[in-house]
Amino acid sequence: MATIADIGVSAAINLLGAFIFLIAFALLRIQPFNDRVYFPKWYLKGLRDSPSQAGAFVRKFVNVDFRSYVKFLNWMPAALKMPEPELIEHAGLDSAAYLRIYLIGLKIFIPITVLAWAVLVPVNYTNDTLRLERLSNVTSSDIDMLSISNIPAKSQRFWSHIVMAYAFTFWTCYVLRKEYENVANMRWQFLASAKRRPDQFTVLVRNVPPDPDESVSELVEHFFLVNHPDNYLTHQVVVNANQLAKLVKQKKKQQNWLDYYQLKYSRNNATKPIMKTGFLGLWGQKVDAIDYHVAEIERLSKEIAAERESVVTDPKAIMPAAFVSFKTRWGAAVGAQTQQSRNPTLWLTDWAPEPRDVYWNNLAIPYVSLAVRRLIMGVSFFFLTFFFMIPIAFVQSLASIEGIEKAAPFLKPIIEIKLIKSIVQGFLPGIALKLFLIFLPSILMIMSKFEGFISISSLERRSASRYYIFNLVNVFLGSIITGSAFEQLDTFMKQSANDIPKTIGVAIPIKATFFITYIMVDGWAGIAGEILMLKPLIMYHLKNFFLVKTEKDREEAMDAGSLGFNTGEPRIQFYFLLGLVYATVTPLLLPFILVFFAFAYVVFRHQIINVYNQEYESGAAFWPDVHKRVLIALIISQLLLMGLMSTKEAAQSTPFLIALPVLTIWFYYFTQGRYEPAFIRYPLQEAMMKDTLEHAREPNLNLKGYLQSAYIHPVFKSEDDDDDHDTAFAKKEDEDVLVPTKRQSRRNTPAPSKFSGGSSPSLPEAVQEHQEP
């Protein structure tokens, strides 16, 4: 059981680690040869030049301006100077909204911390319950003297916790409502002022019904010319180019190796580089490395050309889906937000992701298989979550004094040393859990990709949702339940069944010491490690030494990265959960959470301004998920407080506490109805206003030329010689917008067919007149 001294040792270790990371970052960032590592966003925007282009040789690598070393911590105030509107213009609304999550944490927990320490800490500390029970049957530490565990059963002091629970709930809901309203207004303003983007005019149509007489492209064009005659503009069918993408990726890999060996040979012309053709170059035939990779690139180029031709011409490569673009945003809003056919499972439309947000691999997945895939992944995630509890409990049991002594008795003399014991109890549990979960985000992202989501943003939101559930079940509930069972096992065996609920009620707040160590490891040292960017730093210099030959190569060597919503947001939500749960139980934990929110806000604001190059822009579409998860954490905190009160025999408090989750659930549905539509639907009024303004400013805009190739698969744009293949997909640019029908029925054709010679009698005359020259 960790004591205040153990927590102090852990805090000192983590603060020292964070300080070392920050000093290293402050020194490395001002060195000229690291400029592209710590300021890649400005290079990608073309607003910063390499400092190594001029000056003496030493100045190209080392900053000799000693004044900059005196001001090496000026990055902190600099990160806070950029105003939010400028930040949105610089990095996008997604980045600005992400930072507001940290601000919400500060807005919620600063008043809660002040109230909890002013009211609950004195109420908890001025009791002798644990001092007396420590002599009998319950394990505790001096930290628990500040928690609700130190108040005896049936005490009138519990009313202070109930009143504070109401105050915390109302304050949290108030902050959440204000922020929901602010972000919704920011989204409307962003959409109104945003530059023209293809996704504003485009919808994704899926589950196009098969037709024996027409291709998918012809069928899509006929359908939208009939049903959206005044608004339809053009379309781009979805193709299965996954195999082609793999070949292009292999060619790029071979090209990187060729560049490496050519650069190596240029530095030493005496001997040509030799390599082995076997696995990882460890065995196999020895060959000339340059000739080998030239031959491989030529072979892959031929395969790519053949595969590309197959994708363009083979009907089986065409998926029953298409990106359909409209003449106006209003037309796109109608197409995306209405049911297109009598059968609600056909001609399914939704807003298209922006082109850089599309996850092209999943567009090749048949729509009918998505439900099965998601069922499989749902079951898999269930077993992953609950079976993960076993190794987590085992690791945490070993990361304690008793566990180590039991697993390795020969270490007992060492770990009984006071300093070592403090490190083990105050630092080891948090770092063990952190290391154990290091591969989880990758696993969850693979599962999300298997489910078939078609945009990177939806993949990240899905992965974040499951990461949050995993943290809730395993890291939070699992740590409380398994931790309590391990520490109180002897007590359970010796007690009667009627006393066990009481012991559990006391043991839950005792786990606050573990979460304090976890916050310091993950939220302090972990955030400091984020800004150091050790992996991108090493990889950039390796690429720069072995692969870079041109400025373009140097730009590709930069790894700007992105926010990583799928990992960052669940971590923030976990701290919301800890803060809200322990605000009334163990207020000692709250200052540690405040340090995390404040420190992380400064660090990530700096990263967003200088480093991260966001992969996509969703207009803060993730905000409803953020709002919902904070409310889930609030409800969990209320239910756990009710459970604790029941173990304290405070039955009279139950009616008052039951009202809290009921009010919180009502608040959720109120905010969902009031603000969530702003993140899901696009009002026709807003779309018409935007279209009217654009038409007045640019009356001769060639929108079709702008949208024609916006959603062509990127593998057809990745090669220098792909112009012909781009036009193969966009070849209808100069043709008549009408496609002659090949089916017997003419109901879907809005103009006379050259095959039948007659017009479609089922169409209104107004439509026929519209098609006449």
Side-chain angles (χ1 to χ4, degrees):
M1 182 65 62
T3 63
I4 290 181
D6 299 333
I7 296 297
V9 171
S10 178
I13 294 173
N14 286 285
L15 284 173
L16 179 62
F19 184 74
I20 292 173
F21 286 151
L22 291 177
I23 293 296
F25 161 73
L27 296 178
L28 288 171
R29 69 185 286 272
I30 62 177
Q31 307 307 320
F33 67 99
N34 291 330
D35 205 57
R36 289 180 177 269
V37 178
Y38 293 109
F39 300 96
K41 192 178 188 74
W42 299 100
Y43 282 94
L44 294 174
K45 285 178 169 286
L47 300 175
R48 192 180 181 99
D49 294 325
S50 176
S52 62
Q53 292 180 349
F57 179 79
V58 176
R59 292 177 181 270
K60 295 181 180 181
F61 299 96
V62 180
N63 188 342
V64 297
D65 183 4
F66 293 100
R67 291 175 297 178
S68 61
Y69 290 91
V70 178
K71 302 177 181 179
F72 68 95
L73 291 179
N74 64 350
W75 66 269
M76 289 187 177
L80 301 175
K81 285 182 179 179
M82 183 179 286
E84 189 171 64
E86 186 178 345
L87 181 66
I88 294 174
E89 178 70 22
H90 175 70
L93 182 59
D94 279 346
S95 299
Y98 184 84
L99 287 174
R100 290 190 78 92
I101 306 177
Y102 294 105
L103 288 180
I104 287 180
L106 293 174
K107 290 179 181 179
I108 289 176
F109 288 113
I110 288 177
I112 286 179
T113 302
V114 172
L115 271 177
W117 277 77
V119 177
L120 296 182
V121 169
V123 170
N124 294 337
Y125 187 72
T126 54
N127 278 282
D128 294 326
T129 304
L130 288 180
R131 291 187 183 94
L132 298 175
E133 290 188 355
R134 191 183 294 175
L135 302 176
S136 56
N137 65 344
V138 175
T139 303
S140 65
S141 71
D142 45 3
I143 293 177
D144 303 311
M145 302 299 176
L146 303 176
S147 74
I148 198 174
S149 301
N150 200 31
I151 297 181
K154 299 181 180 181
S155 174
Q156 293 299 314
R157 296 191 178 205
F158 287 123
W159 286 107
S160 61
H161 296 81
I162 296 172
V163 172
M164 287 297 101
Y166 269 89
F168 298 163
T169 296
F170 289 149
W171 174 249
T172 302
C173 291
Y174 171 77
V175 172
L176 288 175
R177 191 196 71 80
K178 292 294 291 184
E179 286 299 317
Y180 215 157
E181 183 178 16
N182 291 337
V183 175
N185 291 333
M186 290 167 60
R187 176 177 168 85
W188 288 131
Q189 185 177 359
F190 177 78
L191 294 177
S193 62
K195 298 178 181 178
R196 186 188 309 112
R197 297 191 318 192
D199 55 294
Q200 297 170 348
F201 300 88
T202 307
V203 301
L204 175 62
V205 184
R206 307 186 77 178
N207 223 23
V208 176
D211 190 287
D213 299 315
E214 291 187 323
S215 67
V216 173
S217 180
E218 294 167 337
L219 190 60
V220 168
E221 187 159 11
H222 284 152
F223 181 87
F224 283 93
L225 279 172
V226 169
N227 297 290
H228 300 267
D230 297 324
N231 297 306
Y232 169 77
L233 182 62
T234 184
H235 73 279
Q236 177 62 60
V237 294
V238 173
V239 297
N240 184 356
N242 290 353
Q243 181 60 32
L244 178 59
K246 291 179 181 178
L247 292 173
V248 171
K249 185 177 180 181
Q250 291 177 18
K251 181 180 177 182
K252 185 177 181 180
K253 182 180 178 181
Q254 294 293 335
Q255 186 64 51
N256 286 339
W257 279 111
L258 178 61
D259 292 342
Y260 163 71
Y261 285 116
Q262 286 178 338
L263 193 61
K264 182 179 179 180
Y265 182 61
S266 67
R267 293 171 179 171
N268 182 13
N269 296 326
T271 57
K272 297 196 71 175
I274 302 297
M275 63 168 289
K276 295 180 180 180
T277 58
F279 178 71
L280 295 178
L282 299 177
W283 57 74
Q285 182 183 359
K286 289 185 178 182
V287 295
D288 183 299
I290 294 178
D291 293 342
Y292 173 80
H293 287 293
V294 168
E296 285 293 300
I297 290 173
E298 291 178 356
R299 177 184 64 81
L300 288 171
S301 296
K302 294 178 181 178
E303 292 183 13
I304 288 172
E307 181 66 21
R308 185 187 287 114
E309 188 66 26
S310 174
V311 170
V312 173
T313 58
D314 187 4
K316 293 182 180 180
I318 307 298
M319 304 304 297
F323 291 100
V324 179
S325 297
F326 294 82
K327 298 176 182 177
T328 62
R329 296 173 181 83
W330 187 92
V334 172
Q337 298 169 177
T338 56
Q339 183 173 315
Q340 301 301 311
S341 71
R342 182 181 303 172
N343 186 340
T345 64
L346 299 177
W347 296 102
L348 302 177
T349 58
D350 200 359
W351 284 106
E354 62 168 329
R356 59 179 179 162
D357 188 22
V358 177
Y359 186 69
W360 295 95
N361 290 351
N362 281 358
L363 285 175
I365 299 175
Y367 184 83
V368 293
S369 69
L370 294 182
V372 177
R373 284 170 168 263
R374 291 173 187 176
L375 176 62
I376 293 172
M377 285 299 99
V379 174
S380 301
F381 178 69
F382 173 84
F383 286 105
L384 173 70
T385 301
F386 285 94
F387 280 103
F388 229 85
M389 265 192 183
I390 299 173
I392 284 180
F394 176 73
V395 169
Q396 290 190 356
S397 67
L398 290 180
S400 63
I401 296 294
E402 294 80 6
I404 295 176
E405 289 180 351
K406 184 177 180 180
F410 59 90
L411 294 177
K412 184 175 181 179
I414 299 176
I415 61 177
E416 287 297 333
I417 300 173
K418 188 174 182 180
L419 178 61
I420 302 298
K421 186 175 182 180
S422 295
I423 293 174
V424 170
Q425 291 187 322
F427 180 74
L428 190 58
I431 194 67
L433 181 60
K434 179 71 176 174
L435 293 174
F436 199 79
L437 299 176
I438 196 169
F439 297 109
L440 180 65
S442 300
I443 296 173
L444 296 180
M445 181 56 73
I446 292 172
M447 295 174 69
S448 299
K449 290 178 180 178
F450 182 82
E451 289 184 276
F453 293 96
I454 53 91
S455 67
I456 300 172
S457 57
S458 59
L459 284 171
E460 291 195 344
R461 289 200 295 271
R462 179 66 160 188
S463 182
S465 176
R466 287 192 162 155
Y467 199 175
Y468 175 76
I469 295 172
F470 188 93
N471 279 341
L472 174 63
V473 174
N474 280 293
V475 181
F476 182 70
L477 296 179
S479 296
I480 289 176
I481 297 171
T482 59
S484 297
F486 275 95
E487 292 175 7
Q488 306 291 348
L489 182 60
D490 291 337
T491 303
F492 290 155
M493 297 300 294
K494 297 174 183 177
Q495 281 184 335
S496 65
N498 294 331
D499 292 332
I500 291 178
K502 179 180 177 181
T503 305
I504 294 177
V506 174
I508 288 176
I510 289 175
K511 289 303 293 184
T513 57
F514 164 75
F515 289 119
I516 289 174
T517 64
Y518 182 79
I519 291 170
M520 289 187 290
V521 170
D522 179 68
W524 295 9
I527 295 298
E530 172 71 24
I531 200 171
L532 182 59
M533 298 178 60
L534 192 59
K535 180 181 175 182
L537 177 68
I538 295 172
M539 293 303 298
Y540 170 76
H541 286 298
L542 287 176
K543 291 179 180 178
N544 193 40
F545 183 78
F546 291 113
L547 299 177
V548 170
K549 294 190 295 184
T550 65
E551 281 298 316
K552 183 179 179 181
D553 295 337
R554 185 171 286 107
E555 186 171 304
E556 292 180 352
M558 293 188 300
D559 183 14
S562 60
L563 280 173
F565 182 83
N566 59 311
T567 57
E569 195 268 348
R571 175 165 64 177
I572 305 171
Q573 292 293 347
F574 186 66
Y575 291 114
F576 275 108
L577 176 65
L578 292 180
L580 291 172
V581 166
Y582 282 99
T584 53
V585 175
T586 308
L588 179 66
L589 183 137
L590 293 175
F592 295 90
I593 288 181
L594 282 180
V595 172
F596 161 76
F597 279 115
F599 184 39
Y601 175 73
V602 176
V603 167
F604 280 100
R605 208 173 201 276
H606 171 273
Q607 297 295 88
I608 285 171
I609 292 172
N610 297 300
V611 181
Y612 296 150
N613 186 40
Q614 193 65 2
E615 294 181 80
Y616 57 84
E617 177 57 60
S618 69
F622 56 79
W623 197 261
D625 293 336
V626 174
H627 178 81
K628 178 174 65 176
R629 287 172 195 149
V630 176
L631 288 178
I632 289 174
L634 185 60
I635 293 172
I636 291 173
S637 70
Q638 296 159 354
L639 296 177
L640 287 179
L641 182 61
M642 289 173 61
L644 282 171
M645 289 298 185
S646 66
T647 63
K648 294 290 188 176
E649 301 177 19
Q652 71 276 13
S653 66
T654 302
F656 296 95
L657 290 176
I658 287 178
L660 284 177
V662 174
L663 290 173
T664 306
I665 293 172
W666 171 84
F667 173 78
Y668 167 72
Y669 283 109
F670 165 74
T671 53
Q672 182 185 41
R674 174 63 181 85
Y675 301 112
E676 189 171 338
F679 298 87
I680 299 175
R681 294 186 287 272
Y682 190 40
L684 297 180
Q685 181 186 22
E686 296 288 330
M688 182 61 74
M689 290 171 58
K690 184 77 172 175
D691 289 332
T692 304
L693 287 173
E694 184 175 77
H695 182 71
R697 292 170 180 169
E698 302 178 74
N700 299 320
L701 173 67
N702 180 17
L703 190 60
K704 189 172 184 179
Y706 172 71
L707 297 172
Q708 187 75 37
S709 59
Y711 285 94
I712 290 179
H713 197 292
V715 296
F716 294 97
K717 300 178 181 180
S718 61
E719 300 290 332
D720 296 335
D721 58 347
D722 279 345
D723 294 339
D724 294 339
H725 300 282
D726 285 352
T727 57
F729 279 93
K731 63 183 179 180
K732 297 177 183 177
E733 170 72 25
D734 299 324
E735 297 178 2
D736 194 290
V737 296
L738 301 182
V739 177
T741 184
K742 297 178 182 178
R743 61 157 60 95
Q744 299 301 320
S745 172
R746 303 190 304 270
R747 288 177 298 172
N748 282 358
T749 308
S753 169
K754 72 178 183 181
F755 287 87
S756 61
S759 61
S760 176
S762 62
L763 296 175
E765 294 182 2
V767 174
Q768 296 180 18
E769 292 175 0
H770 175 75
Q771 301 297 336
E772 294 179 0

